Amino acid sequence: MSPQNFIVEAMRNLRLADGCKGSQVYAVSPGDKASETRMKVEQSKPLRASQTEHTATDGLNCPKAAMRSLRLARKHASHEHERLVYEGWILYDTGHREEALKKAEESIAIQRSFEAFFLKAYALADTSLDPASSANVIELLEDALKCPSDGLRKGQALNNLGSVYVDCGKLDLAADCYVSALNIRHTRAHQGLARVFYLKNDRKAAYEEMTKLIEKARNNASAYEKRSEYCERDMAKADLSMATQLDPLRTYPYRYRAAVLMDDHRENEAIAELSKAIAFKPDLQLLHLRAAFHESLGEMEAAIRDCRAALSVDPNHADTVELYNRVSCRK
């Protein structure tokens, strides 16, 4: 396998989400019962104004395989600018973003290449995305697209560029990027285009766009999960049921179903639904939500137990600290 193929293989293992830094969007309409449910689910986790939809750790379907590919590519690189790019991705994937940026800049200084510009844009977007940084990321991705590359990586760059435009409020430019990505068969761009439709208050078109993605990738649990955000409660439940069938380890469907059950005053079933997810992933948000459910039932001992478990993960989580103090006083 050539060095170029190593990096292609590594990038095939990258599960890029909506783009360099996409805000997580939920199909919320005032007065919609499903909207209230989604709000309950989302209140169980901290949100930032512009939230990264991919990271080095969760953006890889097979992180070990991708890292092996990158290391082999670095070992066999025939040119210094290529070796620097591979080193940059290795640094990025191990949490060293500033160092990754420096490697990208060193590579660009030797030769302007798609790979170096893409790496710099990716790392910069995951470091900060204020207005000035957004403009830099856009420029870097546009520079990348001017360089020779294959359809896979150009599709990723267009997808990421579309997401940055969305965060800047430039929805028409974002739509153009997603359509261009789809024209070179980058099917994940359906998800970005759906997001644009939603932000333009066309929820029906958003749902239909995600349906196009599902038709091309019927075993994609993430697509069903995302489509559930653009439909009413019963249809959302069906999509999330399919997402769980395809990937039982995705936690969002459990949280959503639990919130629906709480809306329907089926509290014990709601707690049982959360417990299913906690059994395989006892993370802070799940534990916090179950603690809140226990509090609503007056089960203070159980709420305290879940708060303590959540605080063992993050002792400074403000919402859980507040909940713990409140239930401790009511014990």
Side-chain angles (χ1 to χ4, degrees), residues 87-155:
E87 283 189 1
W89 279 113
I90 291 168
L91 287 165
Y92 176 85
D93 288 345
T94 53
H96 302 284
R97 289 169 177 76
E98 293 295 336
E99 292 86 345
L101 278 170
K102 291 177 182 176
K103 294 294 181 183
E105 289 165 356
E106 290 176 31
S107 180
I108 291 169
I110 298 171
Q111 180 169 317
R112 295 166 63 88
S113 68
F114 175 95
E115 291 77 10
F117 282 120
F118 187 85
L119 168 61
K120 186 176 179 180
Y122 200 108
L124 180 61
D126 204 24
T127 302
S128 65
L129 205 63
D130 53 35
S133 296
S134 295
N136 288 338
V137 170
I138 289 170
E139 183 179 355
L140 288 165
L141 289 172
E142 288 176 342
D143 284 339
L145 288 165
K146 294 173 186 174
C147 299
S149 189
D150 57 40
L152 168 69
R153 285 175 284 182
K154 282 190 179 290

Side-chain angles (χ1 to χ4, degrees), residues 42-47 284-285 288-289 291-292 295 307 310-311 314-326:
E42 288 311 299
Q43 285 166 1
S44 71
K45 65 180 180 180
L47 292 175
L284 186 151
Q285 286 77 33
H288 174 88
L289 188 59
E295 181 198 23
C307 283
L311 291 172
D314 181 0
N316 300 315
H317 187 247
D319 289 342
T320 304
V321 170
E322 179 185 348
L323 176 59
Y324 179 71
N325 291 335
R326 186 169 66 243

Side-chain angles (χ1 to χ4, degrees), residues 61-293:
N61 281 337
C62 307
K64 291 182 179 179
M67 187 60 71
R68 281 197 303 271
S69 295
L70 288 169
R71 286 174 175 159
L72 283 169
R74 179 183 61 180
K75 179 179 177 181
H76 295 284
S78 54
H79 301 285
E80 177 66 7
H81 70 274
E82 293 175 350
R83 186 185 64 79
L84 288 166
V85 169
Y86 304 143
E87 283 189 1
W89 279 113
I90 291 168
L91 287 165
Y92 176 85
D93 288 345
T94 53
H96 302 284
R97 289 169 177 76
E98 293 295 336
E99 292 86 345
L101 278 170
K102 291 177 182 176
K103 294 294 181 183
E105 289 165 356
E106 290 176 31
S107 180
I108 291 169
I110 298 171
Q111 180 169 317
R112 295 166 63 88
S113 68
F114 175 95
E115 291 77 10
F117 282 120
F118 187 85
L119 168 61
K120 186 176 179 180
Y122 200 108
L124 180 61
D126 204 24
T127 302
S128 65
L129 205 63
D130 53 35
S133 296
S134 295
N136 288 338
V137 170
I138 289 170
E139 183 179 355
L140 288 165
L141 289 172
E142 288 176 342
D143 284 339
L145 288 165
K146 294 173 186 174
C147 299
S149 189
D150 57 40
L152 168 69
R153 285 175 284 182
K154 282 190 179 290
Q156 289 173 342
L158 285 164
N159 204 48
N160 287 13
L161 182 57
S163 181
V164 180
Y165 278 136
V166 167
D167 279 354
C168 295
K170 299 176 180 179
L171 299 183
D172 289 338
L173 288 173
D176 289 343
C177 289
Y178 292 130
V179 170
S180 295
L182 288 170
N183 286 340
I184 54 175
R185 307 179 75 176
H186 190 79
T187 57
R188 192 171 182 84
H190 284 298
Q191 182 168 314
L193 191 55
R195 184 170 158 220
V196 169
F197 285 135
Y198 166 72
L199 292 173
K200 288 185 172 185
N201 298 315
D202 193 343
R203 198 171 169 189
K204 181 175 181 290
Y207 181 88
E208 290 172 351
E209 197 64 34
M210 286 306 302
T211 300
K212 293 177 185 177
L213 174 57
I214 288 170
E215 288 171 351
K216 295 176 182 178
R218 292 189 178 278
N219 293 325
N220 188 334
S222 175
Y224 282 99
E225 185 175 300
K226 180 62 69 173
R227 189 175 70 170
S228 75
E229 298 167 10
Y230 303 129
C231 56
E232 302 305 323
R233 194 171 82 166
D234 288 345
M235 294 173 69
K237 286 169 64 178
D239 273 349
L240 292 173
S241 177
M242 178 59 73
T244 298
Q245 182 179 328
L246 293 170
D247 184 356
L249 301 183
R250 301 184 71 86
T251 60
Y252 175 77
Y254 296 92
R255 295 202 307 272
Y256 181 88
R257 286 191 291 267
V260 169
L261 289 165
M262 285 296 286
D263 283 345
D264 293 340
H265 306 291
R266 296 160 64 184
E267 292 86 354
N268 291 328
E269 291 174 67
I271 290 172
E273 189 68 24
L274 282 179
S275 297
K276 293 176 186 176
I278 290 170
F280 63 80
K281 189 177 182 181
D283 70 9
L284 186 151
Q285 286 77 33
L286 291 168
L287 290 163
H288 174 88
L289 188 59
R290 191 171 69 175
F293 284 4

